[in-house]
Amino acid sequence: MSEPMIPLSMAVLTISDTRNEATDRSGQALVERLTSAGHTLHEKRIVPDDVYRIRAVVAGWIADPDVQVILTTGGTGFTGRDSTPEAVSVLLDKRIEGFGELFRHLSWQEIGSSTVQSRCLGGLANATVVFCLPGSTGACRTAWDGILAEQLDSRHKPCNFANLVIPERGQHA
């Protein structure tokens, strides 16, 4: 990779009824990974698992021209309060179907058949790429290390999502 990586501006949202900044290991794992990779953290927040509060934060970031990537963690399971897919999917212009499929394939090797309960998703909205990850720290590591590190690196070939959100690359949505 001879060309320099173009850092992206990312926002991290933890969705939880119980976590706070001191106990949010999943959100912190994402922040550590994205900054270690050379990207910048625009903002990190925690909101309760409530469809409208999640949607409001994500919609605000989608509308913010300074945010290129949104990573959420939590609320993708099947319990009564898990509502991230319902909150975010209506905001997406295009879904990245392969993201959930590939995540579950990688996760299968770690947690077996329990991976079928993950409703993680990815998509593109207003030239912002959005990835909704499960709430476990292990799942966030799996998603970043196995998919996102490469797909958010402007140098990754033959294609990556970084080039869709970098205006000067000419593929800006």
Side-chain angles (χ1 to χ4, degrees), residues 1-7 153-156 163 166 169:
M1 293 190 193
S2 59
E3 64 184 88
M5 188 212 42
I6 298 172
D153 186 329
S154 58
R155 303 166 296 182
H156 181 72
N163 288 325
I166 300 169
R169 288 292 168 111

Side-chain angles (χ1 to χ4, degrees), residues 98-140:
F99 175 72
E101 296 166 359
L102 181 54
F103 174 81
R104 284 182 286 278
H105 171 76
L106 296 172
S107 180
W108 164 263
Q109 298 165 28
E110 298 171 14
I111 64 170
S113 66
S114 293
T115 194
V116 301
Q117 292 195 27
S118 170
R119 299 184 306 139
C120 64
L121 71 132
L124 188 68
N126 192 35
T128 305
V129 69
V130 181
F131 294 101
C132 300
L133 313 175
S136 78
T137 306
C140 290

Side-chain angles (χ1 to χ4, degrees), residues 64-84:
D64 185 339
D66 293 330
V67 176
Q68 296 169 300
V69 178
I70 300 168
L71 304 174
T72 76
T73 174
T76 62
F78 277 96
T79 68
R81 297 275 297 161
D82 288 329
S83 57
T84 301

Side-chain angles (χ1 to χ4, degrees), residues 5-161:
M5 188 212 42
I6 298 172
L8 301 177
S9 175
M10 301 189 190
V12 175
L13 179 64
T14 297
I15 295 137
S16 175
D17 292 331
T18 59
R19 293 184 188 166
N20 58 42
E21 285 301 330
T23 60
D24 180 19
R25 294 182 314 152
S26 298
Q28 193 55 44
L30 290 172
V31 169
E32 290 169 4
R33 277 174 162 66
L34 75 88
T35 55
S36 292
H39 300 292
T40 59
L41 178 65
H42 176 79
E43 186 178 358
K44 180 186 179 300
R45 293 181 62 184
I46 299 174
V47 298
D49 206 331
D50 174 84
V51 170
Y52 299 100
R53 292 183 68 184
I54 297 165
R55 192 174 292 156
V57 173
V58 174
W61 284 338
I62 288 170
D64 185 339
D66 293 330
V67 176
Q68 296 169 300
V69 178
I70 300 168
L71 304 174
T72 76
T73 174
T76 62
F78 277 96
T79 68
R81 297 275 297 161
D82 288 329
S83 57
T84 301
E86 291 77 15
V88 175
S89 61
V90 298
L91 301 172
L92 302 175
D93 300 326
K94 294 181 181 179
R95 288 193 57 160
I96 304 167
E97 301 297 341
F99 175 72
E101 296 166 359
L102 181 54
F103 174 81
R104 284 182 286 278
H105 171 76
L106 296 172
S107 180
W108 164 263
Q109 298 165 28
E110 298 171 14
I111 64 170
S113 66
S114 293
T115 194
V116 301
Q117 292 195 27
S118 170
R119 299 184 306 139
C120 64
L121 71 132
L124 188 68
N126 192 35
T128 305
V129 69
V130 181
F131 294 101
C132 300
L133 313 175
S136 78
T137 306
C140 290
R141 284 191 300 258
T142 297
W144 183 271
D145 297 347
I147 305 168
L148 299 177
E150 286 184 344
Q151 283 299 303
L152 297 175
D153 186 329
S154 58
R155 303 166 296 182
H156 181 72
K157 306 292 183 210
C159 59
N160 60 73
F161 289 111

